[in-house]
Amino acid sequence: METGKLRLRPPRHALDRRAITWWRTQGALVFGPAVLVLAFLGLLIPPAAGWLLGPAVVVAVLGVVWCAVLPRWWFGLHRWEVTDTAVYVRSGFLWQEWRVAPLSRVQTVDTLRGPLQQRFGLATVTVTTASARGAVRLRGLDAQVAADVAERLTERTDATPGDAT
Amino acid sequence: MSGFDEAEAGGTRTAPGGSRAGSGERGAVAGWRRLDRRTLGVTAVLMAGVAVSAGTPVAIGTRSPWLLPAAALLVGAGVLLEYVRWRHTRFRCTAERLEIEFRFAFHTRKSLPRERIRTVDLTANPLHRAFGVATLSIGTGRQERITLSPLAKADAEALRTELLHRAPSTQDGPLATLDPRWIRYAPVSFVAPTLGLAAFGSLFKVADWFGAGGGLLKWLLGLFGDLPLAVGILLLLVLALVVGVAGAVGLFTEMWWHYRLDREPGGTLRVRRGLFTTRTITVEERRLRGVELVEPLGARLAGAARVDAIATGVEHDDDKTESKTLLPAAPTTVAHDVAARVLGERIEAVELVPHPVAARGRRLRWALLTVLGPVLVLLLLGALLTDVLLVLGGVLAVVALPVAVLLARDAYRALGHGSRGRYLVTRAGSVRRSTAVLTRDGVIGWTVKQSVFQRRRGLATFTATTAAGSGAYSIHDADAAEGLVFAADAVPGVLMPFLETSVSAEPPRT
């Protein structure tokens, strides 16, 4: 957005730095097997070697660039904040998204740690509201920070009367 | 109650029977009631119907002497099962809860806090009506609906009023009743062509069962004698359309005959309708978060609009729009009147802010891409394979491009947002133009989205999330800065803390 005009300010906190490695590992897990399968088949079937090894190299280069460049960029774009009144998250890169959910409307707070996230000591906090499409996700927080956030949110929402619709 | 208690308490609970002291005695306990006994008759007729329809083709094929006993067994077994269900099901309505028990072999008990009851609907299919009974169905806003099937019609009415704490009679007169002339909007709905094609489809399917699918087509085309094939196909399409229109009119009549919309004392909206199968749909006004004025292209060209309720507790995964429709396609002025009576605010009086011209450019580009994709594929294939495809591509381009451009411009004209009183309004769409009117305090969050393309042009999409209806209503491609001000003003306190007019890039990280 242009300067001088009204805009949404970036949320206060960045994700945990380890999220970059987490994203890189995810990228490697997607690109790696594809490259391996192509290369393996290429070596196994000599007549088709050119048709398989070529794409293998292309995918490998793409994967390396992807893992090297994008996570750093994403890290700058993904930010979050929990104030006394709301959860505020910025995410996405080509399609940027700012989500605000007032704490008075929060219904559940879930913490999720996938196998990869556990490996890196990260966690995802999902804050759902009564809307079918209003969930706010904080992906890639430090596990301890995530636990604290979840606890704080739970306390705050417990204190709010009403059924949050 | 807080969000967490709510999640734990759940909507309904099924527990092993007999677990609670005092519920052991049968029947004698005050307040326990049974379903209506006439369900046995309903089941008998239903099973007989199944037996006849399933048995007839078999009888034609085999002439087996066992057919009649088998049919009798089927009916007998069905009635017996229903007897067991009826005999051992009981329910009661206490001051706080609605309880339903089934105790036979296994025990189930459903106990529903009455404050969770959001909708109570009555349905009676023709068979039910012949027996004077109706099915009561209770919505809680969760996945599962609770049904009491069947109850005597008067009992069902009484229980509905009891569950909703409503006085039984209506006073002010209806908010709307059916005007038979509205039937003229039935053929222009999307239902008509769909029904026509479906009719043909099932015709061929049935013919296929008898191995006569190809024969049927030949016979149909033979009807037109020596006409060229193309004309024959065209005539078939026209025939399908006529069938579809007839079907749409029939469907409209069956669904909307005897339609009337009432406001009942105590704050519920009640829709009653149906020719053969009668339905009663109730929306509590405290669950109402607004209405959506829907104008599908055909209806809009004919000057008609439909009014849907945006309410919590109306199942959102339910694609059948009928369960939330307050008014079927009716003249736009009528739709505006009904919406005004429901909301207490006139929608058409709200001044909508038009969106920046850049939004029109986006729509035109989408339209062109949608058309040019298939055209280019056809032209490419045509250049490689046969000239017919070239001609086809040309025809498609000539026909579809103007249509796409018209739709895109129309879609841009539709865009707008505004607010008035308790409500915020957003309008969008060409093929299905929708004007959503949401109560501001029903908005439980904002999502702002901006793609790289939108960022370059200073546009953004603002989505209000709500517990009702589809869960989210969007203001598409509004001016980014103006939209922020609007969203922040419309729902005070949500976006405001996160706005800035600053010039700097990113603040220092913490």
Side-chain angles (χ1 to χ4, degrees):
Chain A
M1 281 171 230
E2 291 165 44
T3 51
K5 277 194 175 179
L6 199 65
R7 62 171 198 179
L8 282 162
R9 68 169 169 77
R12 251 179 244 299
H13 308 293
L15 300 181
D16 192 273
R17 281 236 153 239
R18 282 167 290 182
I20 300 181
T21 334
W22 173 46
W23 283 323
R24 284 195 176 133
T25 318
Q26 280 181 328
L29 285 178
V30 171
F31 285 99
V35 173
L36 284 180
V37 167
L38 283 173
F40 182 67
L41 287 177
L43 294 176
L44 215 62
I45 316 168
W51 288 99
L52 290 166
L53 291 180
V57 171
V58 171
V59 173
V61 170
L62 272 180
V64 168
V65 173
W66 180 284
C67 293
V69 177
L70 293 185
R72 234 167 235 295
W73 184 36
W74 296 345
F75 184 76
L77 294 175
H78 286 75
R79 298 181 72 87
W80 64 279
E81 179 174 345
V82 177
T83 67
D84 285 344
T85 53
V87 189
Y88 176 37
V89 172
R90 184 177 80 180
S91 62
F93 16 104
L94 292 182
W95 282 266
Q96 265 210 302
E97 195 174 294
W98 294 258
R99 274 177 182 264
V100 181
L103 294 192
S104 58
R105 310 292 198 159
V106 169
Q107 284 199 325
T108 63
V109 183
D110 303 332
T111 322
L112 180 92
R113 302 186 71 192
L116 264 188
Q117 285 192 320
Q118 288 188 25
R119 172 77 187 68
F120 293 110
L122 298 172
T124 298
V125 177
T126 305
V127 181
T128 57
T129 62
S131 165
R133 284 154 59 183
V136 178
R137 284 193 180 81
L138 292 78
R139 292 195 184 86
L141 302 189
D142 174 81
Q144 190 52 50
V145 172
D148 291 347
V149 166
E151 196 180 337
R152 218 178 112 206
L153 285 177
T154 309
E155 273 169 22
R156 285 228 32 119
T157 50
D158 268 349
T160 318
D163 71 346
T165 57
Chain B
M1 192 191 292
S2 84
F4 288 89
D5 292 340
E6 171 157 319
E8 282 197 33
T12 62
R13 188 168 289 171
T14 308
S19 58
R20 204 196 269 185
S23 68
E25 310 92 324
R26 310 232 32 176
V29 180
W32 284 107
R33 284 183 262 172
R34 283 220 182 114
L35 300 175
D36 195 275
R37 186 176 202 134
R38 279 169 282 185
T39 185
L40 301 177
V42 173
T43 311
V45 174
L46 198 66
M47 294 311 284
V50 171
V52 167
S53 57
T56 310
V58 183
I60 293 169
T62 63
R63 298 178 189 285
S64 161
W66 292 104
L67 219 53
L68 223 55
L73 192 69
L74 184 72
V75 174
V79 172
L80 187 68
L81 276 180
E82 184 62 11
Y83 174 77
V84 170
R85 186 182 81 90
W86 169 78
R87 177 75 178 73
H88 298 282
T89 303
R90 57 179 193 161
F91 67 95
R92 72 171 169 184
C93 187
T94 67
E96 291 91 33
R97 310 183 80 83
L98 174 71
E99 295 173 302
I100 303 167
E101 270 192 0
F102 176 78
R103 299 158 64 85
F104 180 75
F106 60 92
H107 297 179
T108 59
R109 180 196 185 95
K110 285 179 189 171
S111 177
L112 174 74
R114 280 175 61 176
E115 64 177 39
R116 275 193 193 290
I117 294 174
R118 300 194 170 180
T119 59
V120 180
D121 300 342
L122 292 183
T123 18
N125 61 34
L127 197 55
H128 280 144
R129 290 175 67 186
F131 279 90
V133 294
T135 296
L136 185 89
S137 132
I138 297 158
T140 57
R142 313 264 158 181
Q143 305 304 340
E144 194 187 8
R145 289 186 79 85
I146 292 179
T147 52
L148 289 171
S149 171
L151 300 171
K153 193 161 183 311
D155 291 352
E157 285 280 351
L159 186 59
R160 174 185 169 278
T161 3
E162 192 185 335
L163 288 174
L164 293 170
H165 312 280
R166 298 288 171 259
S169 65
T170 61
Q171 283 116 37
D172 315 347
L175 298 181
T177 50
L178 185 82
D179 181 338
R181 283 172 298 176
W182 296 349
I183 206 164
R184 67 178 184 270
Y185 302 122
V188 294
S189 71
F190 292 107
V191 176
T194 322
L195 268 184
L197 291 179
F200 262 90
S202 39
L203 193 65
F204 277 101
K205 204 167 177 183
V206 170
D208 227 29
W209 288 343
F210 298 101
L216 181 67
L217 189 62
K218 264 190 209 137
W219 176 76
L220 276 172
L221 289 176
L223 280 183
F224 308 122
D226 302 327
L227 291 173
L229 185 67
V231 178
I233 290 176
L234 209 64
L235 279 174
L236 274 187
L237 280 180
V238 169
L239 190 66
L241 209 63
V242 170
V243 171
V245 164
V249 167
L251 196 66
F252 180 90
T253 314
E254 149 58 11
M255 292 208 336
W256 292 101
W257 208 249
H258 298 312
Y259 158 82
R260 75 183 260 159
L261 172 68
D262 290 297
R263 171 173 276 133
E264 294 179 305
T268 46
L269 295 172
R270 178 182 200 186
V271 178
R272 271 177 288 188
R273 60 190 177 81
L275 180 62
F276 297 118
T277 299
T278 52
R279 305 166 187 83
T280 305
I281 292 152
T282 316
V283 180
E284 274 189 282
E285 283 185 279
R286 68 188 173 102
R287 310 277 182 201
L288 197 71
R289 298 287 180 275
V291 299
E292 191 176 8
L293 198 75
V294 184
E295 299 161 275
L297 189 58
R300 181 151 57 95
L301 292 177
R306 184 179 86 214
V307 179
D308 285 354
I310 300 177
T312 63
V314 177
E315 288 72 8
H316 16 243
D317 49 1
D318 199 354
D319 271 344
K320 292 180 295 176
T321 50
E322 308 92 79
S323 62
K324 59 179 187 211
T325 301
L326 295 178
L327 176 79
T332 315
T333 49
V334 176
H336 281 150
D337 283 348
V338 169
R341 266 176 238 153
V342 169
L343 299 173
E345 191 78 65
R346 297 206 71 88
I347 305 178
E348 70 275 22
V350 180
E351 276 177 45
L352 295 184
V353 179
H355 292 193
V357 185
R360 185 173 65 199
R362 295 197 84 205
R363 270 151 194 76
L364 284 170
R365 270 187 292 281
W366 290 337
L368 292 184
L369 284 178
T370 322
V371 175
L372 285 182
V375 167
L376 281 181
V377 169
L378 278 177
L379 291 185
L380 194 72
L381 287 177
L384 291 173
L385 303 171
T386 154
D387 289 348
V388 178
L389 290 179
L390 279 179
V391 175
L392 221 60
V395 170
L396 183 65
V398 168
V399 174
L401 271 179
V403 173
V405 168
L406 277 179
L407 284 179
R409 297 181 68 97
D410 185 52
Y412 169 69
R413 273 197 302 274
L415 290 177
H417 61 274
S419 73
R420 185 183 167 104
R422 291 173 56 217
Y423 300 98
L424 71 89
V425 180
T426 165
R427 192 177 64 186
S430 176
V431 175
R432 178 188 184 275
R433 175 168 296 180
S434 141
T435 313
V437 187
L438 271 178
T439 52
R440 293 142 144 231
D441 54 13
V443 175
I444 60 173
W446 279 104
T447 301
V448 184
K449 280 186 200 160
Q450 198 175 40
S451 71
V452 278
F453 309 108
Q454 283 179 311
R455 191 157 24 209
R456 282 219 310 264
R457 300 191 166 78
L459 303 176
T461 293
F462 298 84
T463 305
T465 52
T466 161
S470 68
Y473 293 87
S474 294
I475 302 171
H476 297 277
D477 287 332
D479 179 80
E482 182 270 329
L484 273 179
V485 175
F486 173 80
D489 282 349
V491 189
V494 175
L495 276 184
M496 203 48 103
F498 308 111
L499 292 184
E500 62 177 11
T501 42
S502 100
V503 198
S504 69
E506 302 259 303
R509 282 170 192 169
T510 48

